[in-house]
Amino acid sequence: MLSYQHEYHCGNHADVLKHSILALTLRALQRKDKPLRVIDTHAGSGIYDLDSPEARRNAEFRSGISRILSAAAPPPEIEPYLAAVRASNPEAGTLRSYPGSPQIAHHLLRPEDHLELLELHPRALARLRRSFGRDARVHIHDRDSYEGLPGLVPPPERRGLVLIDPSYEVRRESAAVIAAVTAGHGRWPGGSWLIWYPLLRDPQTARLPAKLAATGIRKIFHTRLQTEADGYLGLRGSGLLVINPPYGLDTALANLLPWLWEQLANDARGGWIAEWLVGE
Ligand code: SAM
């Protein structure tokens, strides 16, 4: 049974990393005037109430999105993400609601684009249906992501991205991610694939970049944001791997990562990465 609930973590430094890159990637893909599809394999609840007891328990958003919103001189690379956050908080200067990956993608979706959301948790599914169920461009699947993904790639448009953002609750999740990406990339080598991984005390998930590089897949860009020192007991940082980044995304991420780190680091012994893991 699934126990992870993103409500407790929404808007933290890991969300800032993955959601800012999701928004930038989607915007870059939309430079071409052709329809695309976003596939979010671990969708979560879609939109998070920051006044809820769950979000307030550790208030992780205070050391995440709150700092980004109050930062002076934000670079242009953060703008697509900030625009989505502001759209969820129409009252100027407030932060009461946080957009998860489905809402970020939905905010950027054009009339001709589509969004596939896979989720297993009944409460998260109910929230997704409530927020997006009436939009014919959004397809909500009550389905295990690893079972459902093969039937969704390649999408009919042959353009778009897959976001893989598991909770890594089970030890074998990294292996499942690598297997899903290897098979999925084989079916859709031209898609952009965004794969998130956490930096935890258990070194298992930190090995994900090396495991992905070992698959032989080419064109992998690696970002990592470590806000705490090694040895920290909780989530000390996270990474996002981008297979087939759209043109110019590598340069944009090389500008974005040091700025994110300046805003979000709690310990100078952390650090950031924005570099090609595997080239052409
Ligand atoms: N992507 C979301 C966002 O950025 O707003 C957060 C997703 S959260 C980290 C992971 C989600 O995956 C949880 O809501 C969990 O219920 C769901 N999940 C876990 N295992 C799954 C599986 N095998 N198939 C589909 N969903 C799963």
Side-chain angles (χ1 to χ4, degrees):
M1 186 56 206
L2 297 167
S3 59
Y4 179 89
Q5 287 180 53
H6 201 62
E7 278 73 5
Y8 290 96
H9 309 288
C10 54
N12 67 4
H13 56 80
D15 268 5
V16 172
L17 177 76
K18 82 178 79 129
H19 294 155
S20 57
I21 299 178
L22 169 65
L24 260 184
T25 308
L26 192 44
R27 269 280 186 83
L29 288 170
Q30 288 171 332
R31 272 190 230 120
K32 274 204 186 124
D33 192 17
K34 292 194 176 139
L36 57 73
R37 197 166 289 242
V38 175
I39 301 164
D40 190 343
T41 60
H42 296 75
S45 296
I47 306 171
Y48 298 93
D49 174 6
L50 296 178
D51 286 329
S52 71
E54 292 89 349
R56 292 178 77 87
R57 191 166 81 178
N58 296 322
E60 295 185 17
F61 60 89
R62 293 216 177 102
S63 50
I65 182 58
S66 296
R67 287 195 200 170
I68 298 297
L69 278 174
S70 59
E77 290 81 9
I78 198 80
E79 266 312 314
Y81 166 59
L82 283 186
V85 175
R86 287 196 204 102
S88 293
N89 295 277
E91 208 180 311
T94 60
L95 180 65
R96 312 193 70 162
S97 178
Y98 183 76
S101 51
Q103 175 61 20
I104 303 239
H106 189 255
H107 172 74
L108 289 165
L109 222 58
R110 301 167 300 180
E112 65 274 29
D113 296 333
H114 284 262
L115 174 59
E116 309 276 356
L117 303 174
L118 293 95
E119 178 54 59
L120 278 179
H121 199 291
R123 195 162 48 216
L125 274 164
R127 289 182 174 161
L128 291 173
R129 290 197 181 104
R130 206 160 52 229
S131 302
F132 309 111
R134 284 183 301 276
D135 188 333
R137 299 169 302 169
V138 183
H139 315 280
I140 300 167
H141 307 264
D142 177 358
R143 188 126 200 237
D144 176 275
S145 54
Y146 303 108
E147 280 172 26
L149 184 60
L152 296 173
V153 293
E157 300 82 3
R158 308 241 161 196
R159 298 198 71 246
L161 69 84
V162 181
L163 171 65
I164 302 186
D165 179 23
S167 35
Y168 294 93
E169 275 172 283
V170 287
R171 228 185 126 73
R172 286 198 48 76
E173 190 98 49
S174 296
V177 168
I178 295 292
V181 173
T182 309
H185 181 268
R187 296 167 65 87
W188 189 27
S192 294
W193 296 74
L194 275 54
I195 304 135
W196 181 83
Y197 69 90
L199 294 173
L200 297 161
R201 278 205 94 188
D202 179 348
Q204 183 83 339
T205 51
R207 297 190 189 119
L208 210 107
K211 286 185 188 155
L212 189 63
T215 62
I217 295 173
R218 313 293 303 173
K219 282 187 78 178
I220 309 174
F221 197 82
H222 183 202
T223 61
R224 178 186 277 191
L225 185 68
Q226 186 176 334
T227 59
E228 309 285 348
D230 290 349
Y232 182 75
L233 288 181
L235 182 71
R236 69 176 186 280
S238 68
L240 194 82
L241 294 147
V242 186
I243 304 174
N244 291 328
Y247 178 76
L249 190 72
D250 53 348
T251 312
L253 295 179
N255 289 335
L256 178 63
L257 263 288
W259 184 83
L260 285 181
W261 192 75
E262 270 169 39
Q263 313 311 313
L264 301 177
N266 294 318
D267 192 311
R269 290 169 294 175
W272 56 272
I273 293 174
E275 64 188 21
W276 285 97
L277 178 69
V278 182
E280 292 270 358

